[in-house]
Amino acid sequence: MVFKSINPFSQEVIAVHEVLTDAQLNRKLQLSERAFKEWKNTSFQERADKMQNLARILRENKEKLGLLITNEMGKIVSESIAEVEKSAGNCDFYAENAEQMLKEEYYDTPFKSLSVYDPMGVVFAIMPWNYPFWQVLRYAAPTIMSGNVTLLKHAPNVIGCAKAIENAFLEAGFPKGVFQQITIDIPQVESVIASDIICGVTLTGSEKAGSSVASLAGKYIKKSVMELGGSDAFIVLHDADLEKAATVATQSRMLNAGQACICAKRFIVTEKVADEFGVLFAQKIQSLQQGNPLQQGINMGPLARLDLAEKLEHQLEQSLQQGAKLILGGERENCNFQPTLIDFVTVDSVAFQEETFGPLATVIRAKDENDAVTIANNHRYGLASSIWTKDLENAFQLARKMEAGNVFVNSLVRSDSRVPFGGIKKSGYGRELGTVGIKEFMNMKSLIIE
């Protein structure tokens, strides 16, 4: 069996990758086990030196790697290069901070008591195609800096990216087995999770994939972290800077052709400014140019796969049948989906209830700020959200009422190496990044000495 890498814009097959046999997969598992026994005993300085080598290699090759990302999943080249740069920055961050983050913690007791953090072993990662470098390095840098090793199952359409990342780890001086990509099919996933060699599972992906993998992790009693779907609320209050809000709204919805869990998807606007915001939003979306991601002047490439474009088209058609009004866009040719805006969306609409993974922006009108928060929370997802207002004290109070793992005020929702990131409800559990993220796959061992 093989996986094919297909250029989303041209539909050309650019690479073919053979799926591992069960025997080959078993050998990689065993290599990970051997690698962990050595790697866990290395010093933070040794790990940091190699991790900084990796960051340097990524930066030196960012144009070549960016082109690979674009050819495999379709985002414009400038976004691909920026993704490689951000990944390199995450490597540097954990190289510089992991030791401090994992220092011993002492407690106020009459006897000596403390907690130490020990690496657990081999972490199995299942990662998506939409940010094929960032999603991997986001988990891999802290996992490996903490003394663990990892096996990566990447999405079938970005296996070239997975292989390039593994090669970069080896070039940086990491021992074989510390980071391995494994080209496996879905039926092989359970055998990996079931293996005694695996200590934990981390997944970024759809709600459906998370439910399946979390069930398997529970079945075999393995720690898991799930970063799943999102339908982020973007709340615009009557006193917001509408020009800035519309600019960031366009960026948030249309970045990566709208293919991100943390893209704003539900634009909840108070009635007083809904018309004015809608006009500004439409103007900014209309200025975008969709097309060949390798071409100068193009702001948005194609969607990553034909089935994704067809699904988004179906969601749009259903939403219009349910009463939403098409403001602009809506055209599709193969994977090329024009930036689209619909207004007067209700909470019963498909565009509200489901995650729309592509350049479809939906405006929902709220009576006031309390109604806006109620509408935002009326969803099974709770990944991130943003609030736009000039009253920062009120924004803080409203942010505390939001049912989400992350709330941004007057800012683009984004992940940052220093700040824990993750969701609630059907958006998953556990955290990545920050001090909390690096501890997810550590054994917090309490020591009591009298």
Side-chain angles (χ1 to χ4, degrees):
M1 182 179 174
V2 297
F3 290 142
K4 295 179 180 179
S5 291
I6 299 174
N7 183 298
F9 184 76
S10 68
Q11 293 297 297
E12 174 190 359
V13 177
I14 56 177
V16 176
H17 307 279
E18 288 192 10
V19 172
L20 296 176
T21 65
D22 290 342
Q24 290 171 323
L25 175 58
N26 190 51
R27 286 196 289 273
K28 287 186 176 289
L29 280 162
Q30 291 174 351
L31 176 57
S32 284
E33 184 178 38
R34 293 194 299 272
F36 173 63
K37 289 177 180 177
E38 299 294 328
W39 186 247
K40 69 179 180 180
N41 293 318
T42 56
S43 67
F44 278 106
Q45 187 59 56
E46 183 179 343
R47 298 172 201 164
D49 289 343
K50 290 176 171 55
M51 193 61 70
Q52 287 174 323
N53 283 343
L54 176 61
R56 175 183 52 78
I57 289 165
L58 292 174
R59 289 192 179 97
E60 288 175 353
N61 294 278
K62 63 184 181 182
E63 284 86 5
K64 180 178 73 173
L65 297 174
L67 185 60
L68 173 61
I69 293 171
T70 295
N71 285 334
E72 283 205 309
M73 61 72 58
K75 72 178 66 179
I76 60 174
V77 173
S78 60
E79 289 181 4
S80 297
I81 292 172
E83 180 181 338
V84 177
E85 291 174 332
K86 184 174 183 178
S87 301
N90 197 52
C91 294
D92 278 335
F93 176 79
Y94 281 102
E96 295 163 6
N97 294 288
E99 184 173 10
Q100 176 66 19
M101 289 174 162
L102 296 172
K103 67 179 182 179
E104 300 167 349
E105 293 182 26
Y106 288 83
Y107 305 106
D108 184 12
T109 58
F111 43 83
K112 186 176 182 180
S113 59
L114 66 152
S115 290
V116 297
Y117 292 91
D118 294 337
M120 291 172 64
V122 183
V123 176
F124 177 42
I126 301 172
M127 291 290 124
W129 48 263
N130 58 335
Y131 287 92
F133 270 67
W134 168 246
Q135 302 283 14
V136 173
L137 276 304
R138 184 171 77 175
Y139 93 85
T143 295
I144 289 171
M145 276 303 304
S146 64
N148 292 307
V149 303
T150 187
L151 287 167
L152 165 69
K153 178 204 176 302
H154 220 328
N157 57 328
V158 290
I159 299 298
C161 290
K163 291 180 176 179
I165 295 169
E166 181 176 24
N167 289 336
F169 268 96
L170 293 171
E171 185 181 343
F174 288 92
K176 287 183 178 180
V178 170
F179 179 98
Q180 293 183 87
Q181 78 85 25
I182 51 175
T183 307
I184 63 173
D185 200 10
I186 292 173
Q188 295 170 292
V189 167
E190 181 168 0
S191 66
V192 176
I193 296 174
S195 170
D196 289 338
I197 293 170
I198 299 297
C199 74
V201 185
T202 182
L203 177 143
T204 298
S206 68
E207 178 186 346
K208 181 180 177 182
S211 177
S212 176
V213 171
S215 297
L216 291 172
K219 178 180 177 181
Y220 296 105
I221 315 178
K222 304 293 173 73
K223 173 69 181 292
S224 62
V225 171
M226 297 286 142
E227 203 261 87
L228 309 178
S231 187
D232 289 5
F234 187 107
I235 294 177
V236 182
L237 301 183
H238 70 279
D239 63 342
D241 180 336
L242 296 184
E243 175 70 27
K244 182 180 179 184
T247 298
V248 177
T250 304
Q251 181 185 3
S252 182
R253 176 67 278 204
M254 302 300 169
L255 189 71
N256 202 30
Q259 301 170 116
C261 297
I262 59 171
C263 280
K265 299 182 177 76
R266 296 177 296 140
F267 297 87
I268 304 168
V269 189
T270 53
E271 287 177 346
K272 189 174 181 180
V273 294
D275 289 342
E276 186 179 354
F277 175 80
V279 169
L280 289 169
F281 199 11
Q283 289 173 349
K284 294 179 186 303
I285 292 175
Q286 199 160 26
S287 70
L288 299 175
Q289 295 296 314
Q290 191 281 331
N292 187 340
L294 298 176
Q295 188 177 318
Q296 285 280 358
I298 295 297
N299 310 108
M300 182 193 303
L303 297 186
R305 298 195 312 263
L306 190 57
D307 63 303
L308 298 168
E310 290 171 344
K311 179 179 180 181
L312 187 67
E313 185 177 49
H314 182 62
Q315 290 172 314
L316 171 61
E317 290 171 352
Q318 283 185 293
S319 300
L320 295 177
Q321 290 168 8
Q322 292 170 319
K325 180 183 177 183
L326 180 66
I327 305 301
L328 60 89
E331 300 87 11
R332 178 183 74 85
E333 182 181 354
N334 294 323
C335 290
N336 294 286
F337 204 114
Q338 292 303 312
T340 301
L341 174 64
I342 58 177
D343 199 348
F344 300 99
V345 174
T346 66
V347 295
D348 299 319
S349 170
V350 164
F352 184 96
Q353 293 291 334
E354 297 181 4
E355 180 176 27
T356 52
F357 219 63
L360 171 59
T362 64
V363 174
I364 303 102
R365 295 171 179 238
K367 296 186 187 77
D368 52 33
E369 64 183 37
N370 291 324
D371 188 35
V373 171
T374 299
I375 292 170
N377 289 341
N378 182 22
H379 209 283
R380 71 179 185 276
Y381 291 134
L383 186 56
S385 57
S386 62
I387 300 171
W388 292 79
T389 175
K390 292 173 183 170
D391 187 341
L392 298 185
E393 181 55 39
N394 186 44
F396 179 79
Q397 299 303 322
L398 293 175
R400 295 299 303 268
K401 297 176 182 178
M402 296 293 291
E403 296 171 3
N406 315 267
V407 183
F408 287 65
V409 176
N410 298 332
S411 174
L412 176 73
V413 172
R414 62 201 181 278
S415 53
D416 185 301
S417 299
R418 298 163 293 187
V419 183
F421 186 87
I424 60 171
K425 300 181 180 179
K426 300 297 184 184
S427 289
Y429 52 81
R431 293 293 180 267
E432 291 188 293
L433 302 176
T435 302
V436 175
I438 198 173
K439 291 177 179 176
E440 287 282 13
F441 293 105
M442 303 298 287
N443 174 24
M444 183 180 183
K445 183 165 60 184
S446 296
L447 303 181
I448 292 89
I449 304 167
E450 294 202 49

